[in-house]
Amino acid sequence: MSEPLVQVQDLSLSRGAFRLEVPRWQVPPGRVVGLVGANGAGKTTLLRLLPGLDPCPRGSVRVFGLDPVDQGAQVRLGLGFMADDHPVFRLRIGKLLRTLSGYWPSWDEGLVQQLLERFELDPSKGVWELSRGEATRIRLVCAMAFRPRLLVLDEPAMGLDVRGRRQLLESVLDIVRAPHRSVVISSHQLVDLERIADELLVLDKGRVVQQGPTDELVGDSRTLEEAMLTWGAA
């Protein structure tokens, strides 16, 4: 059996009065994992640990078997991270992508062109000229362009219309067609997540209330939103 891409054990993290506790969580290869919960549940706090943006004070977080903080450079060679507030160089799109291409040996120029077409982005346009939806899409291109083994998306649908969300879902599914890659995605778009997530991690006020295969947790007789209400995590 393949080693998990993410392994979290006995995680405990406090921020003021808020505490995030995740006893055990794994992300196997070839899966789309949906991270869901109400605002303030701890989703972003957890996701920021994976690329090493924040340290893990208690417990263990491993990505590709590595410590994301102590071995961050190695982790980020295989991990693509996107959040709506993630900073982007103030350049024209084409120059931005050429600049970033030098950081990753696995950068795929052909994939970049496909994504630019799919997301309808003009390489000559400046980042400062982008609408919110366009800024979201260029962040997605940057996160996907080097074909990461693990793609981590924090609310990637913010600012996207229905068409943009469909393009996003198509891109996510393209990635996990490779059995050694996985996607972890946090989103309030529960209908979208229910369609693509193989597994769920459900948080409520910093605690895990459900985790496991989506079809087993949700079933056929209710929606994910209805299940969230049942679990008290909506």
Side-chain angles (χ1 to χ4, degrees):
M1 184 176 177
S2 300
E3 285 293 312
L5 301 184
V6 174
Q7 294 174 293
V8 174
Q9 191 78 33
D10 298 325
L11 168 65
S12 181
L13 185 156
S14 295
R15 296 272 172 81
F18 174 78
R19 173 172 288 185
L20 174 66
E21 294 185 343
V22 181
R24 187 174 184 271
W25 179 47
Q26 294 187 342
V27 176
R31 309 292 278 177
V32 178
V33 180
L35 182 58
V36 292
N39 288 335
K43 303 185 298 297
T44 295
T45 300
L46 176 57
L47 291 185
R48 286 179 58 86
L49 299 176
L50 303 186
L53 296 177
D54 294 325
C56 171
R58 290 185 57 190
S60 172
V61 174
R62 293 292 180 269
V63 177
F64 316 135
L66 305 172
D67 184 308
V69 174
D70 292 343
Q71 298 164 293
Q74 292 169 264
V75 167
R76 286 188 288 275
L77 284 175
L79 185 150
F81 179 81
M82 179 267 169
D84 197 49
D85 61 351
H86 206 54
V88 178
F89 292 131
R90 189 177 169 84
L91 300 168
R92 298 198 178 274
I93 289 175
K95 186 172 183 180
L96 168 67
L97 295 171
R98 288 192 298 274
T99 300
L100 294 177
S101 69
Y103 290 92
W104 285 278
S106 59
W107 189 270
D108 188 332
E109 190 57 39
L111 175 60
V112 168
Q113 295 307 314
Q114 291 175 27
L115 292 172
L116 289 176
E117 291 177 14
R118 174 176 288 178
F119 291 139
E120 300 175 349
L121 291 168
D122 180 356
S124 67
K125 202 167 186 179
V127 167
W128 60 91
E129 302 175 288
L130 302 181
S131 68
R132 185 177 183 185
E134 289 172 328
T136 294
R137 296 199 292 273
I138 191 58
R139 286 182 172 91
L140 286 167
V141 174
C142 294
M144 297 180 192
F146 59 100
R147 295 193 180 275
R149 291 173 61 196
L150 179 66
L151 179 63
V152 179
L153 304 175
D154 188 8
E155 293 292 346
M158 291 183 69
L160 297 181
D161 56 17
V162 173
R163 184 179 182 186
R165 284 163 46 201
R166 185 176 66 248
Q167 293 166 335
L168 165 64
L169 298 183
E170 290 171 353
S171 299
V172 167
L173 293 175
D174 282 348
I175 286 174
V176 294
R177 286 195 179 105
H180 62 290
R181 306 182 196 277
S182 288
V183 179
V184 177
I185 177 170
S186 162
S187 178
H188 284 96
Q189 300 291 340
L190 298 182
V191 174
D192 293 345
L193 269 189
E194 190 173 358
R195 287 174 51 198
I196 65 169
D198 303 301
E199 301 181 12
L200 295 172
L201 180 69
V202 185
L203 297 178
D204 181 52
K205 298 175 183 174
R207 296 183 181 272
V208 176
V209 294
Q210 294 287 342
Q211 65 185 117
T214 305
D215 54 358
E216 292 181 13
L217 293 179
V218 177
D220 298 325
S221 61
R222 60 181 178 176
T223 65
L224 176 54
E225 184 175 6
E226 290 168 341
M228 296 276 288
L229 289 169
T230 301
W231 300 329

